[in-house]
């Protein structure tokens, strides 16, 4: 599936226009942050390519691009932790996507088993697990 988004004609169109004109990096990816739609908790960070972004917008389920597998990825396809998208936002220069989601399944987002991928805190130069 080849997906193409328009390119903004100028800075004003990029920053204030109504067209979704994401600015993908040289690898064809855009940063994506998922937060819990009800609590605001940051659940995960991932990458999207044009196809993942288009599928997220059209299906209402979060799709990402796995750099390690070099493949499109429907969040929750194997884990059951599907992310139902409640709202999608794109930042001012359209190089980052923020999706507010309702996690399904066990409510988690992390493949390690935690609710959020940000389950560790830096303390005294070390990582300490603190999922809450």
């Amino acid at each position: 599936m080849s997906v193409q988004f328009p390119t903004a004609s100028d800075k004003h169109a990029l920053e204030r226009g109504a067209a979704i004109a994401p600015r993908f990096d040289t690898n064809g990816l855009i940063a994506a942050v998922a937060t819990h739609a009800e609590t605001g908790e940051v659940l995960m960070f991932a990458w999207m390519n044009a196809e993942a972004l288009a599928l997220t917008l059209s299906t209402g389920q979060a799709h990402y691009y796995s750099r390690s597998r070099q493949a499109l990825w429907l969040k929750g396809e194997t884990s059951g932790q599907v992310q139902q998208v409640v709202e999608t936002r794109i930042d001012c220069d359209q190089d980052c996507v923020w999706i507010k989601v309702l996690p399904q399944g066990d409510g988690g987002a992390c493949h390690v088993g935690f609710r959020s991928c940000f389950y560790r805190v830096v303390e005294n130069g070390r990582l300490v697990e603190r999922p809450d």
Side-chain angles (χ1 to χ4, degrees):
M1 172 182 196
S2 178
V3 176
Q4 293 215 335
F5 286 93
T7 301
S9 57
D10 58 32
K11 185 175 179 177
H12 180 73
L14 180 71
E15 296 176 345
R16 304 300 299 266
I20 300 170
R23 293 178 43 223
F24 297 96
D25 69 12
T26 56
N27 296 312
L29 302 174
I30 192 169
V33 176
T35 62
H36 196 289
E38 293 175 349
T39 68
E41 177 183 14
V42 177
L43 299 175
M44 60 181 282
F45 167 86
W47 296 97
M48 291 182 174
N49 63 4
E51 184 178 4
L53 179 56
L55 284 167
T56 298
L57 295 173
S58 67
T59 67
Q61 293 184 335
H63 289 73
Y64 301 103
Y65 183 80
S66 170
R67 294 182 306 169
S68 60
R69 294 189 314 260
Q70 298 285 299
L72 185 68
W73 152 46
L74 167 62
K75 177 64 178 158
E77 189 170 33
T78 57
S79 68
Q81 297 172 337
V82 172
Q83 293 176 343
Q84 295 294 334
V85 178
V86 173
E87 181 177 273
T88 303
R89 292 182 178 232
I90 298 180
D91 76 336
C92 55
D93 54 358
Q94 297 201 46
D95 64 0
C96 184
V97 177
W98 172 18
I99 55 174
K100 297 179 182 184
V101 301
L102 291 174
Q104 305 300 298
D106 66 6
C110 183
H111 74 282
V112 177
F114 293 95
R115 178 177 167 89
S116 167
C117 292
F118 296 92
Y119 58 89
R120 295 182 289 182
V121 175
V122 177
E123 287 184 358
N124 301 317
R126 297 187 50 166
L127 292 174
V128 177
E129 287 189 11
R130 189 167 302 134
D132 297 316

